[in-house]
Amino acid sequence: MRTSTRSSPRIADGGCRVGGSAHPAAGTLVGVDQRLIDLLRSDLDAAGYTVERVRGLWGETAEAALHRSNRVVAIRSLDERRRTAGVEPIATLATLFVLGVAVEADDATRALPSLGLDGAVALGLVGLSDDGSVAPAIDLRPYAWVDANGSGAWWIASDLGELALGHELGEEHVLGVGGASMTLSGIILPERIGTALDLGTGCGIQALHLSRIADHVVATDISERALELAALNARLNGIDSIEFRHGSMFEPVAGERFDRIVSNPPFVITPRAEGVPSYEYRDGGLVGDALVESVFLEVARHLTPGGVAQFLGNWEYRDGADGLDRVAGWVERSPEPVDAWVIEREVQDPAEYAETWIRDGGTRLGTPEFERLAGAWLDDFAARAVTGVGFGYVLLRRSDPSTPLRRYERLHGQAGSNAAGLGAHLAVCLLTHDWQVALDDDQLLGERVILAGDVTEERHYWPGDEDPTAMTLRQGGGLARSVGIDTGLAGLVGACDGELTLGAIIDAIAQLVEVDAAELRAELIPRVRALLDDGILLPSS
């Protein structure tokens, strides 16, 4: 998704057209025979084209190599399988659309018996080579997911990667499901909602996930090619609740509000210099982190009361300016009041950041082109005195201005390890926060709370000592937090089984250790509130 607009959409070779100012009806694909998509789905089903079966074709070693952009092991495994078991339709599909390798025309015909080669060409899935072989034109692979509402599987089409292309990506490349995509889908709050917006939909993966919880989804992108593939993915997977719109940023939804906004925006900080590629799927066309700043400043205008925006982003650390402090400044400048919860997952130094994204575009380390681009990146960072770049998750909620939530956390190397189920955890934390902030201290002392089921206590002792030298609460799920505790808090947490009120528990501890009950209450209540915010303690009902 870019920040500039372009001409009205056109039909790409074999693609489906979406958009312009006359938005198609939900789930409608313009310019593609719907019957062909149904035939493709039938063939993929018949072949058993699933994540589990594809991985079973070549095994764990080859799968790990593929994640390192090495397909040699998988190709050799499939060659051996063909010698022993013949050519199976699923092996042909995986060779074509996962490994990006051409196959014999007869094998392709057997793998797509309903659709046929003519249908596959018409859909833009394959091309016919001069030697009679069939070459992939897109990446089309199975994708499986598990979330708070269940599990399932889809097929996701995207553009071929550099491994299949054999060269750097084009600037209009449409990315498939990657690590960032799975991270974002994992943090989506799971509650049922009415309307949702996927801002910068790309291949459409977030719009598909939103369709599981929203009655109606609007998916936007500046890339015509992205909208074509996203619409194809929706139709291929039988999802008709998504409306696709072409345009930059919030322009296609001017004046509209949504219960949920999700975005994996083009947040990558790219030099605005001649000769530096600008990829539609990741580059916003602005200097530094200005694109992410613009999302912070605009998104609240498009949220319903209580509506939530969730997105990923980068923010710069500049000489004398902390990255999260800059983010906090963006929140305070929001034109409408919002709650803010920002989790910084990591910080990269300028050289590491440049290397990450230059290689992401397909340029290999150690080549003259890599060194030229690295120089451009480092010059760009030096011009703004950038010392590091933070990456993380953002949750903004249109809120009551009297009780704003402000959480800016650094959970480096920790946040994201449980991203697949993080959305449900974040939802629990928000509900628990809202519950406890509505109670003053006296009211909270009259409540009963329980310890979350995934929390354990760890104690460390010096040899021969009866009393522990350190005690820690460890969260098994969610954000996997570790919280140091002392004897008083350990005693309170250990008694939180929903039977006694917090006040009764604290009074009992005070009597046991012979301290003033009022002083112990004043000490423990703020810490109890923090544990409630973290989802370590929960309301008993």
Side-chain angles (χ1 to χ4, degrees):
M1 176 180 67
R2 282 182 178 166
T3 56
S4 59
T5 55
R6 298 191 336 203
S7 58
S8 60
R10 44 82 178 134
I11 300 178
D13 293 343
C16 52
R17 185 177 62 185
V18 181
S21 56
H23 307 314
T28 299
L29 304 181
V30 182
V32 167
D33 186 341
Q34 304 301 301
R35 182 181 62 88
L36 294 180
I37 297 175
D38 293 337
L39 294 175
L40 172 61
R41 184 192 310 112
S42 175
D43 287 338
L44 297 179
D45 260 332
Y49 194 46
T50 66
V51 170
E52 183 178 8
R53 290 202 62 204
V54 167
R55 288 177 177 172
L57 290 173
W58 45 61
E60 294 182 4
T61 299
E63 184 69 18
L66 284 173
H67 283 288
R68 301 190 300 270
S69 298
N70 175 5
R71 63 183 177 181
V72 175
V73 184
I75 291 173
R76 290 167 68 93
S77 296
L78 285 181
D79 286 344
E80 177 62 26
R81 190 180 183 96
R82 290 188 183 95
R83 283 192 290 270
T84 59
V87 181
E88 306 159 282
I90 188 174
T92 299
L93 295 172
T95 300
L96 264 175
F97 298 124
V98 177
L99 302 183
V101 175
V103 300
E104 296 296 325
D106 287 346
D107 293 339
T109 299
R110 283 191 290 270
L112 298 167
S114 302
L115 180 63
L117 283 185
D118 288 344
V121 171
L123 278 181
L125 306 181
V126 301
L128 303 181
S129 302
D130 293 338
D131 62 4
S133 63
V134 176
I138 65 170
D139 184 298
L140 175 62
R141 64 181 65 201
Y143 166 75
W145 40 262
V146 178
D147 61 26
N149 295 311
S151 61
W154 294 315
W155 298 290
I156 302 297
S158 61
D159 280 331
L160 294 170
E162 68 270 14
L163 193 63
L165 294 171
H167 55 75
E168 291 85 354
L169 302 179
E171 293 189 14
E172 295 188 2
H173 177 82
V174 179
L175 193 67
V177 179
S181 301
M182 290 187 286
T183 294
L184 182 57
S185 64
I187 67 174
I188 294 176
L189 304 182
E191 296 93 345
R192 188 76 199 174
I193 52 175
T195 58
L197 168 66
D198 178 13
L199 185 70
T201 193
C203 71
I205 186 61
Q206 305 307 330
L208 296 186
H209 278 290
L210 285 170
S211 73
R212 288 178 42 75
I213 61 171
D215 297 329
H216 181 71
V217 180
V218 174
T220 69
D221 210 293
I222 190 63
S223 166
E224 300 162 358
R225 174 66 174 167
L227 289 172
E228 292 165 359
L229 287 170
L232 172 63
N233 287 329
R235 184 66 183 89
L236 180 59
N237 291 290
I239 297 171
D240 60 6
S241 59
I242 305 173
E243 177 184 353
F244 297 94
R245 302 185 190 178
H246 176 259
S248 177
M249 296 297 288
F250 292 98
E251 290 174 2
V253 293
E256 296 180 60
R257 292 184 183 267
F258 301 86
D259 301 319
R260 184 72 45 78
I261 298 176
V262 168
S263 183
N264 183 9
F267 58 72
V268 176
I269 297 167
T270 303
R272 307 266 69 87
E274 185 177 353
V276 177
S278 180
Y279 297 101
E280 283 188 335
Y281 74 88
R282 73 181 203 191
D283 300 319
L286 302 180
V287 174
D289 54 18
L291 188 282
V292 176
E293 178 184 9
S294 72
V295 176
F296 269 88
L297 297 179
E298 181 67 16
V299 72
R301 299 183 191 273
H302 297 277
L303 288 172
T304 58
V308 173
Q310 296 181 268
F311 54 96
L312 306 181
N314 278 166
W315 36 85
E316 292 182 339
Y317 282 71
R318 298 176 182 172
D319 188 18
D322 181 277
L324 284 183
D325 287 346
R326 296 183 65 245
V327 169
W330 299 341
V331 171
E332 298 310 318
R333 288 164 51 204
S334 172
E336 298 190 22
V338 290
D339 291 325
W341 188 358
V342 181
I343 299 171
E344 185 177 79
R345 177 177 171 178
E346 65 176 320
V347 175
Q348 290 187 328
D349 64 62
E352 182 183 13
Y353 187 88
E355 178 181 329
T356 296
W357 293 108
I358 295 170
R359 294 181 68 181
D360 177 78
T363 302
R364 296 182 179 179
L365 187 67
T367 62
E369 178 65 3
F370 179 91
E371 293 183 359
R372 182 187 71 82
L373 291 174
W377 244 277
L378 295 178
D379 287 345
D380 180 61
F381 283 136
R384 293 188 304 282
V386 174
T387 58
V389 180
F391 168 82
Y393 320 141
V394 177
L395 187 154
L396 302 178
R397 179 174 61 173
R398 191 166 169 230
S399 64
D400 179 348
S402 64
T403 56
L405 170 65
R406 295 288 184 267
R407 296 193 74 171
Y408 304 100
E409 303 186 90
R410 291 183 174 89
L411 299 177
H412 298 175
Q414 179 178 334
S417 59
N418 300 297
L422 201 49
H425 173 74
L426 298 180
V428 168
C429 290
L430 286 176
L431 287 171
T432 304
H433 168 81
D434 293 345
W435 174 78
Q436 64 101 350
V437 297
L439 304 172
D440 63 27
D441 286 353
D442 288 338
Q443 291 171 322
L444 183 57
L445 286 166
E447 295 291 339
R448 294 171 172 82
V449 301
I450 58 174
L451 186 66
D454 64 338
V455 177
T456 57
E457 182 185 289
E458 208 173 78
R459 297 192 176 205
H460 298 270
Y461 296 81
W462 289 114
D465 283 1
E466 293 184 1
D467 296 324
T469 58
M471 293 182 289
T472 305
L473 294 178
R474 294 201 180 277
Q475 195 173 49
L479 290 165
R481 296 180 186 274
S482 297
V483 180
I485 57 176
D486 55 21
T487 302
L489 190 56
L492 184 147
V493 168
C496 286
D497 58 5
E499 293 296 322
L500 298 175
T501 65
L502 285 168
I505 293 172
I506 294 175
D507 287 346
I509 294 172
Q511 184 175 2
L512 181 65
V513 299
E514 299 181 340
V515 299
D516 182 78
E519 292 181 0
L520 189 60
R521 289 185 180 194
E523 175 190 340
L524 291 182
I525 281 298
R527 300 170 73 184
V528 167
R529 289 188 183 276
L531 294 179
L532 286 165
D533 277 351
D534 292 342
I536 292 175
L537 290 178
L538 305 171
S540 63
S541 60

